[in-house]
């Protein structure tokens, strides 16, 4: 009797349950759609670090094996890898593995590459952003072939080529799940919105400075920032120091559907990150009907509703122009759906 087919996904973290919507929404949306796209394929996620409790559970029909190696130090990392290997061997014995897919060029790709080589299996590593930067030791340890690398954007593919001399053979961005969007608000009562992790890389201090430069002309300006992180206290102090308490509301971390609903109430989505692989949040904002401004352009082509200034100093001028435009349109712009991306990834393993 032939073994059932299975695809294994290796990831640093994964939602602990179906209500855990805040962990990297684009990647969990992709996995959920991948299972819907391949109902007869057994999909197994091995999560190295998070959730914090080791267990095996069902997530939208996907088998998740949580190793729970987070925050345990270097010795425990080796134990984590050993447990991952043992689980991979069990899966290989029970299923006909059509291949392995690793999120990020890190420990998951390192383990996936080793196992795939040993057992003659296809393995793809999905570059998802900062792992394409210079100084990623795992690239030298893995020595990947470009044909086994998927870049999340044209920008990341170029970055990886410049830093490591390897051209990723595939550029596949993450898509958006349009079913998570509601009908949309009748009135856009939020002028400017931001969303993401409150970390230095995202430059929300710049976001606050831009708002400060606008309030003289727009004293009633209403802006929100969704997200949490180590910069929260600094941002609160900055907002207080600049007297912007009535203009900027820090929402903290919200369930993903609530963030999308807020986008549908917003006129402009401002993304001040200084480095971005391919920000799915920008695609979500475009589909929510926002005019989008970002400092980084992930893909070589973009819709007219997505503006990328030549200089940071131009941000306030562009926003003023948009806010003063009485004919400003808020039509949904769809870039990539999760269904399209799931089909493209599937085609790498099933010919």
């Amino acid at each position: 009797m032939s073994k059932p087919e299975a695809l294994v996904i290796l990831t640093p973290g994964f939602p602990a349950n179906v209500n855990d919507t805040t962990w990297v929404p684009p990647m969990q949306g992709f996995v959920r759609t991948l299972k819907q796209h391949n109902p007869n394929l057994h999909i197994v996620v091995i999560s190295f670090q998070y959730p914090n409790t080791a267990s095996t559970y069902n997530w939208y029909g996907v088998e998740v094996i949580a190793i729970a190696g987070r925050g345990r130090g270097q010795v425990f990392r080796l134990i984590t890898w050993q447990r991952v290997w043992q689980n991979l061997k069990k899966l290989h014995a029970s299923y006909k593995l059509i291949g392995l897919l690793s999120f990020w060029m890190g420990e998951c790709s390192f383990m996936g590459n080793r196992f795939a080589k040993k057992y003659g299996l296809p393995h793809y590593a999905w570059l998802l952003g900062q792992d394409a930067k210079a100084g990623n030791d795992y690239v030298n340890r893995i020595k990947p072939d470009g044909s086994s690398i998927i870049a999340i954007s044209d920008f990341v593919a170029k970055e990886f080529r410049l830093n490591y001399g390897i051209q990723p053979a595939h550029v596949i961005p993450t898509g958006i799940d349009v079913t998570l969007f509601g009908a949309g608000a009748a009135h856009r009562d939020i002028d400017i919105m931001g969303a993401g992790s409150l970390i230095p890389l995202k430059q929300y201090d710049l976001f606050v400075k831009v708002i400060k430069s606008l309030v003289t002309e727009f004293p009633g300006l209403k802006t929100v920032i969704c997200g949490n992180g180590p910069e929260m206290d600094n941002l609160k102090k900055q907002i207080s120091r600049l007297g912007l308490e009535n203009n900027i509301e820090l929402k903290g971390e919200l369930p993903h559907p609530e963030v999308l609903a807020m986008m549908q109430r917003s006129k402009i989505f401002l993304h001040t990150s200084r480095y971005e692989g391919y920000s799915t949040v920008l695609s979500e904002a475009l589909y929510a009907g926002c005019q989008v401004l970002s400092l980084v352009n992930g893909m070589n082509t973009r819709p007219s509703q997505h503006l990328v200034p030549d200089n940071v100093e131009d941000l306030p001028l562009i926003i003023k122009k948009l806010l003063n435009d009485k004919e400003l349109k808020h039509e949904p712009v769809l870039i990539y759906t999760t269904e399209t991306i799931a089909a493209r990834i599937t085609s790498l393993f099933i010919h």
Side-chain angles (χ1 to χ4, degrees):
M1 186 176 175
S2 61
K3 297 176 184 177
E5 290 188 331
L7 173 68
V8 178
I9 296 172
L10 304 174
T11 177
F14 203 72
N17 52 62
V18 295
N19 297 316
D20 189 359
T21 63
T22 57
W23 181 87
V24 195
M27 303 320 295
Q28 57 173 295
F30 160 74
V31 175
R32 189 170 62 247
T33 307
L34 187 68
K35 179 59 183 176
Q36 292 167 354
H37 188 79
N38 301 279
N40 297 321
L41 177 66
H42 188 61
I43 297 175
V44 185
V45 171
I46 299 181
S47 188
F48 285 46
Q49 304 295 333
Y50 176 84
N52 296 326
T53 304
S55 64
T56 299
Y57 55 96
N58 183 291
W59 183 89
Y60 293 107
V62 173
E63 180 185 353
V64 183
I65 302 171
I67 306 298
R70 188 178 188 178
R72 304 285 186 96
Q74 193 60 40
V75 174
F76 197 83
R77 173 157 286 188
L78 296 176
I79 296 172
T80 297
W81 292 358
Q82 188 177 36
R83 290 176 180 170
V84 167
W85 192 270
Q86 289 168 348
N87 277 285
L88 284 170
K89 284 181 70 175
K90 285 179 187 176
L91 292 168
H92 188 257
S94 302
Y95 295 94
K96 179 187 176 185
L97 300 186
I98 64 168
L100 295 90
L101 174 65
S102 300
F103 292 169
W104 288 280
M105 183 71 72
E107 63 175 346
C108 298
S109 292
F110 176 67
M111 292 299 293
N113 183 64
R114 285 186 64 187
F115 192 84
K117 279 188 173 178
K118 182 174 175 65
Y119 291 97
L121 299 169
H123 170 248
Y124 290 91
W126 204 346
L127 287 169
L128 296 174
Q130 294 188 60
D131 46 344
K133 283 183 169 182
N136 184 345
D137 292 337
Y138 281 104
V139 178
N140 294 326
R141 295 173 76 174
I142 297 168
K143 296 181 172 58
D145 184 314
S147 63
S148 68
I149 302 175
I150 307 165
I152 197 173
S153 67
D154 295 323
F155 171 78
V156 163
K158 180 182 178 183
E159 184 86 357
F160 195 75
R161 187 187 76 247
L162 291 174
N163 290 326
Y164 300 101
I166 303 168
Q167 177 66 46
H170 312 277
V171 175
I172 305 178
T174 51
I176 64 167
D177 185 349
V178 297
T179 66
L180 297 178
F181 290 79
H187 177 60
R188 293 189 179 257
D189 59 337
I190 299 170
D191 295 302
I192 304 170
M193 176 182 173
S197 300
L198 305 187
I199 57 175
L201 181 81
K202 303 294 184 180
Q203 299 192 115
Y204 281 105
D205 58 327
L206 172 61
F207 185 106
V208 174
K209 287 175 187 173
V210 169
I211 302 308
K212 178 62 178 176
S213 70
L214 295 168
V215 292
T216 304
E217 186 172 336
F218 305 96
L221 195 71
K222 182 178 179 181
T223 66
V224 298
I225 298 174
C226 299
N228 209 343
E231 290 293 294
M232 176 66 87
D233 285 343
N234 289 336
L235 289 171
K236 286 179 179 176
K237 290 173 185 173
Q238 184 186 13
I239 289 166
S240 176
R241 188 174 68 250
L242 296 176
L244 296 172
E245 295 94 332
N246 294 328
N247 302 104
I248 303 176
E249 186 178 359
L250 298 174
K251 290 285 189 179
E253 193 168 65
L254 297 176
H256 189 219
E258 287 187 31
V259 176
L260 300 182
M262 205 160 284
M263 286 179 180
Q264 292 180 299
R265 293 169 48 199
S266 302
K267 298 171 187 172
I268 297 167
F269 189 88
L270 175 60
H271 200 58
T272 49
S273 181
R274 66 171 173 264
Y275 182 99
E276 204 65 64
Y278 174 83
S279 187
T280 308
V281 76
L282 301 183
S283 293
E284 290 172 336
L286 285 166
Y287 189 70
C290 298
Q291 296 287 321
V292 172
L293 274 87
S294 72
L295 299 181
V296 180
N297 184 29
M299 301 299 279
N300 293 337
T301 59
R302 64 179 190 272
S304 59
Q305 291 89 337
H306 181 184
L307 304 170
V308 181
D310 293 328
N311 299 297
V312 174
E313 293 76 17
D314 294 335
L315 280 174
L317 193 64
I318 296 170
I319 294 173
K320 284 179 185 179
K321 188 176 179 182
L322 291 172
L323 290 174
N324 284 320
D325 185 356
K326 303 301 181 189
E327 303 298 318
L328 195 64
K329 297 287 190 295
H330 295 291
E331 299 297 328
V333 177
L334 183 58
I335 309 296
Y336 304 101
T337 64
T338 48
E339 287 87 353
T340 302
I341 302 309
R344 289 179 65 181
I345 293 292
T346 300
S347 69
L348 297 176
F349 296 98
I350 301 173
H351 304 290

